[in-house]
């Protein structure tokens, strides 16, 4: 059955306008209600570090479930069959869980931080700070861009408006309410967005399933699948989707400022339940949405215009009635907005704390009013830049995997810097640059076709497997079990991986980034005779708005 035999529908222009005004008007109203007449720079960045469980858990869930992750999960289902969404959603969910042990350590050594890069400045110095801040600027811009692409595709499919009009209205709506109160607006509107989004998913997935033919769809459409797509244990899905995503999402978890910002904002005693709840919410929602892509595969649907970004709205317009189509529209807009506002808040906090607060004015001389101005200007500029990039309509799944793999170069140096006092600024910087220098040619197939080079990439990739699994184990079980698990993983995978892993450029590029950064960072650090005093981090980081009073009284205000 092709798409041409399926009737699709659109919502009228007045209905789309009403839904947009309802959604963005409601979020703007919430933002204005929580706003302060005299805005606080620290509150703008971390909401006073006292967010409770309900708001924190829903905000983490809503931030991790973005419109792009819904679209990418459906793309995985359409491309790789039933195992695609499971690889996408399950590993993404587990990575949220893996954040919390590292998060507790980060909060313990830097209880008053605003950004991870700010902590790197206190731990190492300027180069490592700017490296982490720079990667986050790039990552958040890519995330913002992919969310606007998702919104533009949605509007173009569901309404008479075109893609360009769609990305413009999404950008304007998100910017309007986030600009007012920054991070506080982001986390509090996330609550309403998450409730709407999860409720819509619970209704829409079953409705589409039965409208598309129910269980009989799988028998009737089985011939549309390849043997790999039909297999629950597809090696194609694991090597092209699952394994790269395991590596990429671990990097997202450690390097992403949108996640770190919530880590710094939630009450310290609530970190564990917050992340466990977000793990369950993310996994269930994203795997469920990904099954829409699997249904499209069984039905033999062709993505409109050959663009897989159109799959989800195409399914919605085909199988949902007008009322549920409105619910679906709100669901995607909620997912889009909850992450786009997080990206804007992350970018503003980086420019406020890392660029202006630490490197332009200096922490003791930073003016909170100037910081707020810098943060708001950053949001406007970032929105404009993301709109420009979104006009290119790039593949969302490729964007996500690329930025995750890029962050892989930073994972070991960042984690080691919080636990091992011997890591130096030079080790951090050189390790990250060396990893990026090898990641780029491997990822983009720039290396010559040579047996020795292929073997080298495979060996580094095997080491990368050990590093990834070792880091995962380290967070929960400590150093010795991590060393054993990482070593065994590398040894066991070597006979299977060496000789062919270099052909999977996304996966091998990411693993090479992990292994090179780990080896270089270790070799440059282990002979260092100086041991860093982690108590210095808290002394070097403080509230910008309270700096004057803290000079007189060293006890932080509560």
């Amino acid at each position: 059955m092709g798409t041409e035999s399926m009737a699709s529908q659109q919502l009228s222009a007045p209905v789309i306008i009403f839904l947009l005004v309802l959604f963005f008007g409601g979020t703007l109203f919430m933002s204005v209600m929580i706003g302060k007449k005299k805005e606080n720079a620290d509150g703008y960045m971390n909401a006073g570090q006292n967010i409770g469980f309900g708001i924190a858990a829903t905000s983490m869930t809503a931030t991790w479930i973005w419109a792009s992750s819904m679209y990418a999960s459906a793309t995985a289902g359409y491309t790789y069959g039933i195992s695609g969404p499971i690889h996408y959603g399950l590993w993404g969910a587990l990575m949220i869980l893996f954040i919390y042990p590292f998060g507790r350590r980060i909060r313990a050594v830097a209880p008053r931080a605003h950004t991870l890069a700010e902590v790197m400045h206190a731990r190492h110095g300027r180069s490592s700070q700017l490296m982490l801040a720079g990667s986050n600027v790039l990552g958040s811009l890519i995330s913002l861009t992919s969310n606007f692409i998702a919104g533009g595709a949605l509007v173009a499919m569901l309404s008479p408006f075109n893609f360009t009009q769609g990305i413009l209205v999404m950008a304007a709506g998100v910017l309007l309410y986030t600009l007012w109160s920054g991070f506080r607006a982001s986390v509090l509107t996330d609550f309403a967005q998450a409730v709407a989004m999860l409720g819509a998913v619970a209704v829409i997935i079953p409705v589409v399933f039965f409208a598309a033919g129910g269980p009989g769809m799988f028998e009737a459409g089985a011939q549309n699948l390849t043997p790999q797509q039909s297999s629950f244990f597809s090696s194609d899905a694991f090597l092209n989707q699952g394994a790269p995503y395991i590596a990429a999402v671990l990097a997202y978890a450690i390097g992403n400022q949108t996640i770190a910002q919530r880590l710094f904002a939630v009450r310290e005693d609530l970190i564990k339940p917050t992340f466990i709840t977000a793990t369950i919410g993310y996994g269930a929602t994203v795997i469920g949405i990904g099954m829409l892509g699997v249904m499209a595969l069984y039905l033999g649907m062709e993505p409109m215009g050959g663009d897989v970004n159109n799959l989800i709205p195409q399914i919605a317009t085909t199988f949902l009635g007008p009322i549920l189509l409105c619910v679906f529209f709100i669901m995607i807009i909620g997912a889009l907005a909850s992450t786009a506002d997080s990206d804007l808040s992350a970018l503003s906090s980086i420019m406020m704390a890392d660029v202006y607060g630490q490197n332009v004015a200096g922490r003791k001389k930073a003016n909170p009013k100037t910081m707020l101005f810098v943060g708001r200007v950053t949001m406007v500029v970032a929105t404009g830049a993301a709109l420009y990039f979104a006009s290119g309509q790039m593949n969302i799944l490729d964007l996500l995997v690329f930025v995750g793999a890029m962050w892989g170069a930073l994972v070991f140096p960042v984690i080691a810097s919080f636990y091992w006092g011997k890591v130096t600024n030079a080790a951090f910087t050189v390790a990250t640059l060396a990893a990026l220098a090898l990641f780029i040619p491997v990822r983009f197939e720039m290396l010559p076709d040579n047996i020795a080079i292929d073997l080298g990439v495979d060996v580094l990739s095997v080491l990368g497997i050990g590093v990834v699994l070792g880091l995962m184990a380290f967070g929960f079980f400590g150093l010795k079990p991590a060393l054993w698990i990482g070593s065994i993983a590398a040894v066991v995978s070597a006979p299977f991986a060496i000789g062919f892993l270099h052909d999977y450029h996304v996966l091998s590029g990411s693993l090479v980034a992990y292994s090179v950064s780990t080896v270089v960072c270790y070799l440059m650090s282990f002979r260092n005779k100086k041991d860093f005093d982690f108590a210095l981090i808290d002394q070097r980081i403080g509230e910008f708005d309270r700096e004057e009073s803290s000079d007189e009284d060293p006890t932080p205000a509560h």
Side-chain angles (χ1 to χ4, degrees), residues 108-121:
V109 300
R112 296 180 294 164
H114 307 88
T115 72
L116 267 181
E118 182 186 22
V119 184
M120 287 300 105
H121 184 276

Side-chain angles (χ1 to χ4, degrees), residues 38-63:
K38 187 177 180 182
E39 189 57 78
N40 175 294
D42 290 299
Y44 198 85
M45 290 187 281
N46 62 23
Q49 297 187 308
N50 197 34
I51 295 178
F53 168 71
I55 296 294
T58 51
S59 179
M60 179 65 74
T61 304
T63 297

